[in-house]
Amino acid sequence: MKITEVLTHPVSIALDETQWTAQESSTHSSVILVEVRTDAGISGVGQIHAGPMKEVCSWVARLGEVAVGMDPRAHTDVWDTLFALTCPRPDAIPAREGVIAPLPRSARPQIMAAIAGIDIALWDIKGKAAGQPVYRLLGGVNRPVFIYATGGTYRAGQSPNACADELAQFVARGYAGVKLKCCGLNMDAEVERIAATRAAIGPQTLFMLDMNAPYALDECIRFAHRVEPHGIHWLEEPLHWYLQPADFVRLAAASPIPLAHGERELTRFTVRDFIASGAIRFVQFDSTRAAGFTESVRIAHLAEQYGVRIAPHQVPELHAHLCAAFPDASFGVETSGDPKRNPVWEGMYLERAQIEAGQVHLNDRPGFGVEIDWKFVARHKA
């Protein structure tokens, strides 16, 4: 079997209102679908949640040209070939016929996202070719996977404590765990939001905080102690983006709350350093943003060895396969609690894993078990 074509399908829908985290604003629900076709008539679909969309699509096209002719079932070989292009290689300068120069450092986030979309599609093909779901290729069984709902983004004209009612609605719909976007306001206001949310969701609900890298070390230690009385399960991305495992080690030693991290990392190599440092208890690598499912499997194996739990970022219909295959190392997966926040995800599938009573229920269809509504994709093409 050979890869014959790699296509992108960017999809985007404008949100009803702009939403903010502590880091950035969102005006659209978007995804880039990557379709990989083969000479055996089997196609796979991957996803990319990164941007800018036009730039990422151009990298998928460029890397896709390299992948054409390779065996899609040999996903590690394809991954290694594409990843090698990001580094200097003997006699690769200057670029010429049959030789690709090292890809630019400035585009690494977009390149890693492009690799991710292609790689996920290859896993989908591998499962379809074997007639097996991905979790079974990994040695797992079809078991329900815990899922939590995230909310609490900031919106214009909204009262600071509106998040309490929002997350309480998630609990009423059967979620046993919820996560609050926080740390976009001053610390006093954030502690009030957190207290109000805990009161609204009750004492038994798992309660995580998604901080989006707002604090330096000393500030974060102070914040951790102030919110500890509200039974926080983890602090996610607590420190500024440039702070490294050594800083997380210091925070972990001083914080009464476990730390979660990994969503913003591009490869297993930096995630390895966070895991090996002992600083984090939950790793949140995102297959659709950086390096793909092959890299996530590698990270899951490492997390299992270090006693760290995997909690992949979003896209439960893909990441639940990973959690099902690593039950002893799995915390669970994430979803957007409010359908209005992710209308693309709500509308683009004819078939996917189902979410009921706070659990993901995978199906037994080959690959990732999803079927895309291509008419929906065409209507909302970006």
Side-chain angles (χ1 to χ4, degrees):
M1 188 187 302
K2 303 295 183 184
I3 296 170
T4 58
E5 196 172 13
V6 179
L7 306 171
T8 54
H9 306 274
V11 184
S12 189
I13 298 176
L15 299 175
D16 292 339
E17 56 185 334
T18 301
Q19 302 176 20
W20 288 269
T21 68
Q23 176 72 47
E24 57 200 353
S25 64
S26 295
T27 59
H28 288 73
S29 168
S30 303
V31 68
I32 300 170
L33 298 179
V34 178
E35 181 185 6
V36 176
R37 297 177 178 176
T38 72
D39 61 0
I42 300 174
S43 296
V45 178
Q47 292 189 37
I48 299 173
H49 292 266
M53 295 182 80
K54 184 176 180 180
E55 184 177 343
V56 173
C57 287
S58 70
W59 282 113
V60 173
R62 187 169 174 184
L63 294 174
E65 292 175 357
V66 178
V68 166
M70 300 185 74
D71 186 338
R73 296 162 298 185
H75 55 87
T76 302
D77 184 44
V78 177
W79 194 97
D80 289 345
T81 298
L82 299 182
F83 187 62
L85 299 177
T86 66
C87 299
R89 304 176 310 284
D91 202 30
I93 298 294
R96 56 198 183 277
E97 182 68 27
V99 177
I100 300 175
L103 303 183
R105 288 177 289 182
S106 60
R108 278 179 187 159
Q110 291 73 39
I111 293 167
M112 296 307 293
I115 292 174
I118 294 171
D119 179 77
I120 292 168
L122 299 187
W123 276 91
D124 198 32
I125 291 171
K126 186 172 184 173
K128 290 174 179 177
Q132 300 291 335
V134 168
Y135 67 78
R136 194 167 291 146
L137 297 182
L138 294 172
V141 300
N142 193 346
R143 53 170 61 86
V145 174
F146 176 78
I147 189 168
Y148 66 89
T150 297
T153 53
Y154 305 94
R155 308 178 193 190
Q158 187 181 59
S159 70
N161 292 345
C163 55
D165 292 336
E166 181 186 1
L167 270 64
Q169 291 173 12
F170 301 164
V171 175
R173 296 209 302 269
Y175 288 101
V178 295
K179 187 167 76 178
L180 177 68
K181 293 286 187 179
C182 64
C183 298
L185 308 176
N186 66 67
M187 193 177 296
D188 289 340
E190 289 298 341
V191 172
E192 181 181 336
R193 290 176 81 234
I194 291 161
T197 301
R198 171 52 84 187
I201 65 176
Q204 301 304 318
T205 304
L206 289 181
F207 186 20
M208 288 76 76
L209 299 182
D210 190 353
M211 299 166 63
N212 293 115
Y215 291 133
L217 182 61
D218 289 344
E219 287 179 296
C220 197
I221 293 170
R222 185 159 61 92
F223 175 81
H225 284 278
R226 290 194 63 181
V227 300
E228 179 192 11
H230 304 299
I232 306 304
H233 194 66
W234 77 44
L235 302 179
E236 177 179 335
E237 289 196 326
L239 296 176
H240 290 319
W241 67 269
Y242 50 82
L243 296 177
Q244 297 299 305
D247 306 288
F248 277 71
V249 168
R250 293 177 62 196
L251 176 59
S255 170
I257 303 170
L259 308 182
H261 184 71
E263 173 189 332
R264 71 185 185 215
E265 302 302 320
L266 295 182
T267 74
R268 68 185 182 276
F269 300 103
T270 55
V271 174
R272 172 201 62 195
D273 293 342
F274 280 97
I275 291 175
S277 75
I280 63 172
R281 294 270 298 280
F282 303 91
V283 61
Q284 299 171 300
F285 198 75
D286 187 335
S287 298
T288 71
R289 286 187 175 178
F293 203 78
T294 296
E295 199 77 330
S296 288
V297 172
R298 291 161 166 163
I299 289 169
H301 279 293
L302 184 64
E304 185 177 52
Q305 294 169 53
Y306 275 86
V308 171
R309 295 204 169 264
I310 57 172
H313 175 251
Q314 290 287 345
V315 204
E317 65 277 18
L318 303 184
H319 287 137
H321 286 264
L322 191 69
C323 291
F326 290 85
D328 293 337
S330 171
F331 171 77
V333 293
E334 177 185 16
T335 189
S336 298
D338 183 356
K340 293 181 179 179
R341 284 185 56 210
N342 203 350
V344 168
W345 186 81
E346 294 290 335
M348 75 176 182
Y349 291 114
L350 296 173
E351 176 71 32
R352 60 170 166 78
Q354 296 300 305
I355 298 173
E356 298 175 1
Q359 293 181 317
V360 181
H361 297 271
L362 295 166
N363 57 42
D364 287 322
R365 294 166 63 107
F368 285 110
V370 303
E371 182 180 352
I372 302 297
D373 184 344
W374 293 108
K375 292 181 180 178
F376 176 92
V377 169
R379 287 198 304 272
H380 300 287
K381 184 176 181 180

